[in-house]
Amino acid sequence: MIRGIGTDLCEVRRMAKLLTDSSFLQRYFVETEQAYIVSRGAKASESMAGIFAAKEALVKALGTGFDGIGLKDIVVAHDVYGAPSYHLLGPALERAQAMKVTRMHLSISHDGGMALAFAVLEGE
């Protein structure tokens, strides 16, 4: 059963400007996300926009927005093939558990200077 759906768009150019500020990276992304973004070289701003949109999409799917959930409570990881996934911490994990979420799906796409993320939460 679907427990929540969320989507978000993020402008890559906006993230490119923020990428020059290391304090922004440290404030909103965990170390593994920061390392992934920086490792992407010329595509770093696209990756940063995608991860940021993924976090926004998830809080929409959780039905909370960022009320009580921090950006660092949502970790976006990538497998060896580049497929993204969520790892939740603290209040984000507690909310997902309260919603009886058992599986989380994430898709990220980039085109025309925009990054799109789509989250689907499944549960009992």
Side-chain angles (χ1 to χ4, degrees):
M1 170 192 283
I2 293 178
R3 291 300 203 180
I5 296 173
T7 190
D8 193 67
L9 282 171
C10 184
E11 186 179 25
V12 173
R13 184 176 51 184
R14 180 175 143 231
M15 290 294 125
K17 290 177 187 174
L18 293 170
L19 189 57
T20 62
D21 179 6
S22 64
S23 66
F24 181 83
L25 270 177
Q26 293 169 357
R27 192 167 48 247
Y28 296 115
F29 300 93
V30 299
E31 287 181 21
T32 55
E33 292 169 327
Q34 292 173 42
Y36 178 80
I37 290 165
V38 171
S39 78
R40 301 289 291 156
K43 295 191 179 250
S45 56
E46 278 186 7
S47 294
M48 187 168 147
I51 292 170
F52 195 86
K55 292 173 183 245
E56 290 264 4
L58 183 75
V59 296
K60 291 174 182 176
L62 292 173
T64 60
F66 284 107
D67 186 22
I69 296 176
L71 283 163
K72 286 187 170 182
D73 294 328
I74 303 161
V75 179
V76 176
H78 295 81
D79 70 13
V80 295
Y81 301 106
S85 62
Y86 287 117
H87 176 73
L88 305 184
L89 306 168
L93 177 60
E94 292 168 11
R95 173 67 177 155
Q97 289 171 335
M99 292 174 65
K100 299 186 186 313
V101 171
T102 56
R103 292 185 68 193
M104 298 178 286
H105 306 277
L106 170 60
S107 181
I108 301 173
S109 187
H110 309 86
D111 190 36
M114 300 295 288
L116 168 85
F118 190 78
V120 177
L121 307 180
E122 286 185 87
E124 302 169 9

